[in-house]
Amino acid sequence: MSFVQASTRALVLSAKLVKPCQSSLVVQSRSTSFFNKLTAAEIWKGVTSVSNAGRKRGRGKGAGKRVAKNLNRGQIIGVGRENMVWPGLNSPILAGRELNTQKKLSPDPKYQENLQRIRDTMGRASAGRLRPVDRGWSGRKLPGRSIGQPDSLNPSDFAGFDTRVLEFKTVFNMTATFGRKRSLSAFVITGNKKGLAGFALGKANNGQTALKSAKNRAAQKLMYIPLYNNHTVYHDFFTQFGKTKIHVRKCAEGHGLVCHRALKTICEVIGIKDLYAKVEGSTKNYQNLAKAFFIGLLQQRTFETLADDQNLFVVERRKEMDNYPLVVGKPSGEPLDIPSSKVPDYNLVIMNGKVPLDKRKHGKQVVLV
């Protein structure tokens, strides 16, 4: 036997002795993932929120409008694509004397469509609808809106009071320890619409606390404003605070409030129904507007005060009464007997010697000394 034949015979024998091995497929599987490691709230937070670093860079401007969906809403146990009756789960175990058994019901063709419709309405944050009378100066923003009466241990203490927001903004304060510190500022006015009113400023880290603080502080600083016939001021006046100047004119009943929107809100809280006011200078500084207007209201002189100061009778003439003279103020002492030519001018007395000039071609009102 040659060497080649011997080698071939050995290969054949070795091939018969070796058993073929069975091939196996190994599939890698993971029993844990971020779906079962994290809670549902933490998973939704990763979709609906933004980190502090991202917020500083201007990211996530619409993150507040995205709301986590409740995927369990609209689903019933045992009811789905395949409706099943599970005794003890979605149906009673016994039906009379018979034992209920598991059985399949006919499928609902509109189930998936209704479920998707419910989920589509959940993803958007919808604000509550406001009545037109409850809206502010510009839609749903806080300035101009009512926030109710001040808090008190006895609710009857502030019965009939109403609080309006005049200014609500974000302010910052640079500190040495915490850096740029953010807070919310609220400027409100409260009153009972009968001449009693007050305003205050409140600051806090969140809006609700700032509004509550300002509302309660305003209730501690109430001032009484005298009203003429419960509808307007006693006389025309000029007032100023800072760079804000206000010219106020007394109006007849039924005229309405023709003035700045902040002054209109203040008048509604105080109880003034008829007034004309012209603002010059800064019209966006609501704190100066309120302070200037209250200074003018508190410096009003009633007819009795004017009569005592001049020691003369105060007589009013109205067009609707055919200019019939009506005595509205009497001096407490003996009145002076002076000729009619020396009777002081009423407008000069109430304006403290200043003469209001109406420049109609410029549409402005100027007060000269």
Side-chain angles (χ1 to χ4, degrees):
M1 183 183 295
S2 65
F3 176 76
V4 176
Q5 292 177 348
S7 301
T8 304
R9 186 178 180 184
L11 288 172
V12 173
L13 291 173
S14 63
K16 291 181 178 179
L17 294 174
V18 176
K19 296 181 179 179
C21 61
Q22 296 179 355
S23 61
S24 59
L25 181 62
V26 179
V27 180
Q28 184 180 5
S29 63
R30 294 180 180 178
S31 58
T32 59
S33 68
F34 70 92
F35 286 110
N36 51 24
K37 277 185 178 180
L38 304 177
T39 62
E42 292 173 340
I43 295 173
W44 276 113
K45 187 178 179 181
V47 180
T48 59
S49 64
V50 64
S51 63
N52 293 330
R55 187 176 286 107
K56 289 181 179 179
R57 288 174 173 82
R59 304 194 196 108
K61 292 184 178 179
K65 299 179 182 178
R66 293 194 294 266
V67 183
K69 296 182 180 181
N70 182 12
L71 299 181
N72 293 326
R73 185 179 172 186
Q75 299 196 67
I76 305 173
I77 296 177
V79 179
R81 295 181 181 177
E82 303 293 337
N83 292 345
M84 296 292 296
V85 174
W86 302 92
L89 186 62
N90 61 355
S91 67
I93 298 176
L94 295 175
R97 295 184 178 181
E98 297 182 358
L99 184 67
N100 280 336
T101 58
Q102 177 184 345
K103 58 182 178 180
K104 184 177 180 180
L105 301 177
S106 58
D108 185 5
K110 294 186 178 180
Y111 170 78
Q112 199 67 22
E113 180 182 347
N114 295 335
L115 187 62
Q116 189 62 37
R117 180 175 50 81
I118 293 173
R119 290 179 178 178
D120 290 341
T121 58
M122 284 192 293
R124 297 184 297 271
S126 58
R129 184 177 178 83
L130 280 178
R131 297 185 303 167
V133 294
D134 294 334
R135 294 174 188 162
W137 298 332
S138 56
R140 298 187 57 84
K141 292 184 178 180
L142 269 175
R145 289 179 57 183
S146 173
I147 55 175
Q149 64 182 24
D151 300 331
S152 175
L153 296 177
N154 186 7
S156 62
D157 293 346
F158 297 105
F161 275 72
D162 186 25
T163 306
R164 296 288 191 90
V165 182
L166 296 179
E167 188 178 44
F168 187 77
K169 61 183 180 180
T170 305
V171 294
F172 296 91
N173 181 30
M174 187 63 71
T175 61
T177 54
F178 299 104
R180 195 163 179 254
K181 192 175 178 182
R182 174 183 174 273
S183 60
L184 293 169
S185 173
F187 184 64
V188 306
I189 179 171
T190 185
N192 63 349
K193 301 181 181 180
K194 296 179 181 179
L196 197 62
F199 60 89
L201 181 70
K203 293 182 181 180
N205 293 332
N206 58 76
Q208 293 295 331
T209 308
L211 291 171
K212 183 177 180 181
S213 174
K215 178 173 64 174
N216 294 335
R217 288 184 64 187
Q220 299 172 1
K221 302 177 180 181
L222 296 177
M223 295 168 278
Y224 178 71
I225 308 297
L227 303 178
Y228 177 65
N229 289 344
N230 295 324
H231 76 94
T232 187
V233 294
Y234 271 88
H235 54 77
D236 303 350
F237 60 84
F238 166 76
T239 179
Q240 179 177 359
F241 186 86
K243 296 294 183 180
T244 302
K245 303 175 183 179
I246 307 177
H247 305 268
V248 177
R249 192 169 69 218
K250 174 184 175 182
C251 295
E253 193 168 2
H255 180 274
L257 297 172
V258 183
C259 53
H260 190 278
R261 60 184 185 181
L263 297 181
K264 183 177 180 181
T265 302
I266 295 173
C267 290
E268 290 173 352
V269 172
I270 295 174
I272 300 174
K273 303 179 183 65
D274 306 293
L275 187 84
Y276 171 82
K278 172 69 177 177
V279 180
E280 291 182 0
S282 177
T283 58
K284 295 183 180 179
N285 193 336
Y286 298 109
Q287 297 185 32
N288 280 9
L289 272 173
K291 292 174 184 177
F293 192 55
F294 266 83
I295 288 173
L297 291 175
L298 293 173
Q299 289 179 349
Q300 286 185 106
R301 287 183 283 179
T302 62
F303 296 143
E304 289 77 10
T305 305
L306 284 172
D308 290 336
D309 292 344
Q310 303 294 326
N311 205 13
L312 295 170
F313 288 97
V314 179
V315 180
E316 184 183 41
R317 298 175 183 268
R318 297 186 191 175
K319 291 182 180 180
E320 59 268 22
M321 297 178 64
D322 294 332
N323 293 324
Y324 182 81
L326 179 66
V327 177
V328 293
K330 298 179 181 180
S332 57
E334 186 68 22
L336 295 176
D337 188 8
I338 58 176
S340 58
S341 60
K342 293 186 178 181
V343 175
D345 188 2
Y346 177 75
N347 292 327
L348 288 176
V349 172
I350 62 175
M351 299 296 288
N352 296 322
K354 296 181 180 180
V355 180
L357 300 178
D358 190 7
K359 293 189 176 181
R360 298 185 182 275
K361 63 179 180 179
H362 297 294
K364 295 183 179 179
Q365 190 180 30
V366 182
V367 173
L368 302 177
V369 179

